[in-house]
Each structure stands twice: as C-alpha cells, then as structure tokens.
Amino acid sequence: MSSSTIDEYIGSFPDDVQDVLREVRSTIRTALPDAAEKISYQIPTFTLNGRNVVHFAAWTHHISVYPLPAGDEAFQRELAPYVAGKGTAKFPLDKPIPYDLIGRLAAHLATRK
C-alpha cells in the first residue's frame, strides 16, 4: 500500500505499532522542530531546507530509522546494537524503543552536510 501522508502511513499499521510510530514521529519532531514532513520512498521523511534528513518505517518485527550518521565514535558505539546493514538502525518492537536515541540520531543527521 502506498500512503500519501504520514498519518495515512501510520494508520495502516496495527494499533500497538501506530503508538510506536506516533512516538517516533513526535520524538523526531521535537529534535527537528523546523523540519517539514512528507512521504519519500514510500516512508515517512523529515526534511530541512528541501533536503531529506531522516526516514522511519515500520516492519513486521521492528521500526527502522535511516540513514545513520557518520563521525562521532561515542554515538556510533551507542547505535551499534541497532545497526542492521549499511545506513539502517532497527529497533525491535518486542523491546523498549530508545526514543531518546532516535531523537539524538535525528539531530545528528540534521547537522550533516
């Protein structure tokens, strides 16, 4: 299914996953208060100055956030348990979602050139 808005995208998932997606969205919105929202690559995307900054998506067993920032080694170590392939963080739905980490991830991505 292709969604035209983030609300439609979130609404296409079961209630428990919708709750997580709403919290991820809110967390990113707090980290990037000046960002715009859109659907890009068929997933929710936050943009700054016309540039895609961060995407998130729900899957059967996890939430993903894309891409991953380079640089800061301490932050890389903190993200390491969630890294799944190049540029993807996976947060299992059967474990507590580290919303604070997602917010900091979005903030890091906003500062890259």
Side-chain angles (χ1 to χ4, degrees):
M1 179 188 129
S2 182
S3 302
S4 60
T5 68
I6 293 177
D7 288 327
E8 277 182 21
Y9 180 89
I10 291 172
S12 71
F13 290 91
D15 290 344
D16 58 333
V17 177
Q18 287 183 39
D19 291 343
V20 173
L21 289 171
R22 283 189 199 99
E23 189 64 28
V24 168
R25 182 187 196 182
S26 175
T27 298
I28 295 171
R29 165 70 43 226
T30 298
L32 306 176
D34 296 328
E37 297 179 341
K38 69 178 185 176
I39 294 290
S40 182
Y41 303 106
Q42 300 180 341
I43 59 175
T45 302
F46 282 79
T47 67
L48 283 171
N49 303 315
R51 177 178 64 87
N52 290 352
V53 175
V54 62
H55 310 270
F56 66 96
W59 303 93
T60 304
H61 301 289
H62 67 275
I63 300 294
S64 290
V65 178
Y66 321 85
L68 297 178
D72 186 332
E73 287 184 33
F75 191 65
Q76 296 297 327
R77 283 192 300 276
E78 194 173 356
L79 276 174
Y82 305 103
V83 173
K86 185 175 181 176
T88 303
K90 284 186 180 180
F91 303 98
L93 288 168
D94 64 351
K95 295 190 169 122
I97 304 294
Y99 296 109
D100 178 66
L101 180 62
I102 291 171
R104 289 185 288 122
L105 169 61
H108 273 279
L109 289 168
T111 62
R112 84 184 167 150
K113 303 286 181 207

